[in-house]
Amino acid sequence: MTKMQQLFSSMKGKEKNLAQTSLVASEEQPVRHIAIIMDGNGRWATKRHLPRLAGHKAGVTALRRVVECAADENIQMLSVYAFSTENWGRPKNEVEGLMRLFWETIRSDLEKLHRDGVRLRHLGRLYDLSPDIQKAVRESVELTKDNTRIGLNVCFNYGGELSSWMRFGRLLPMGAILRRLARK
Ligand SMILES: CC(C)=CCC/C(C)=C/CC/C(C)=C/COP(=O)(O)OP(=O)(O)O
């Protein structure tokens, strides 16, 4: 079992619903691009009698593990759908917590991501985010732009981009991803 498979199966068992993973590839091609829709963070936290933000933090922890494994698995691109324009409608304290978490994660993880050869890109409406976040995103994209090990598209404050992007890919359920990885 590869590291990625172990990660996905551990998520199924212990961290159910932390992330929904979809695969973009045709049947004939090896897995090169994995898209992750961050979902279920709130349910994960509620089940454990924790505040929703604890679920979002656990989601970021899971994401770190996915990025590490994917780079080792020769996956060339990861796209992470984190915060949609609809998510601004959530309670103020949750939105503020998510913005802070996003900013803190860039700040704390950027150096390691750069060292690990991750090329960061942002997809979404940067201009609507706070000046601090805009600056952190711009700096992280600039710093990592020449890295070649793996691309990480962070979709934050995305709108219709998701649905149009989905039309280009075939979305397969988790089981299909695991089987595909097993064949590598
Ligand atoms: C990329 C990065 C560092 C992001 C940091 C911010 C972050 C964790 C964003 C995810 C937010 C979100 C809307 C998750 C979905 O779970 P949900 O709250 O909809 O869960 P539920 O469906 O169980 O309510």
Side-chain angles (χ1 to χ4, degrees):
M1 200 190 257
T2 66
K3 274 211 283 183
M4 186 65 112
Q5 286 170 272
Q6 280 168 9
L7 175 68
F8 285 157
S9 39
S10 77
M11 272 185 181
K12 273 180 107 179
K14 292 189 227 128
E15 301 163 30
K16 245 181 264 169
N17 299 330
L18 256 186
Q20 278 185 353
T21 309
S22 301
L23 167 70
V24 181
S26 77
E27 280 294 339
E28 301 75 33
Q29 287 171 336
V31 178
R32 288 287 175 259
H33 186 167
I34 293 183
I36 295 171
I37 300 173
M38 294 185 93
D39 190 23
N41 294 352
R43 273 164 285 161
W44 182 93
T46 304
K47 215 169 133 189
R48 289 160 178 78
H49 309 287
L50 294 168
R52 290 178 63 83
L53 201 57
H56 294 312
K57 285 184 181 161
V60 172
T61 303
L63 181 59
R64 285 191 183 103
R65 294 165 59 202
V66 172
V67 175
E68 278 180 18
C69 290
D72 287 346
E73 299 280 345
N74 207 22
I75 305 259
Q76 290 166 355
M77 191 71 75
L78 268 180
S79 295
V80 178
Y81 288 87
F83 187 91
S84 73
T85 48
E86 287 79 29
N87 290 148
W88 288 106
R90 290 184 179 222
K92 190 167 174 272
N93 67 336
E94 186 175 355
V95 171
E96 283 173 359
L98 284 169
M99 292 297 149
R100 200 168 45 248
L101 181 58
F102 184 49
W103 184 80
E104 284 171 358
T105 306
I106 298 175
R107 284 295 175 218
S108 62
D109 290 30
L110 180 59
E111 218 171 276
K112 181 175 186 314
L113 289 169
H114 183 43
R115 244 190 350 261
D116 290 348
V118 178
R119 184 178 66 263
L120 278 161
R121 283 206 194 108
H122 172 256
L123 303 181
R125 297 168 199 181
L126 191 58
Y127 55 84
D128 273 347
L129 299 169
S130 75
D132 277 353
I133 293 182
Q134 291 190 32
K135 185 167 178 282
V137 168
R138 286 205 177 93
E139 282 173 4
S140 61
V141 170
E142 176 59 28
L143 178 71
T144 64
K145 69 178 187 316
D146 295 324
N147 292 342
T148 52
R149 186 151 169 244
I150 185 167
L152 176 58
N153 297 324
V154 181
C155 310
F156 199 92
N157 202 23
Y158 63 87
E161 292 92 343
L162 173 60
S163 46
S164 51
W165 176 84
M166 278 179 166
R167 278 200 292 274
F168 290 110
R170 281 203 36 218
L171 301 178
L172 302 178
M174 181 80 81
I177 295 171
L178 297 181
R179 279 195 296 280
R180 193 74 65 80
L181 285 167
R183 271 191 252 134
K184 280 181 82 238

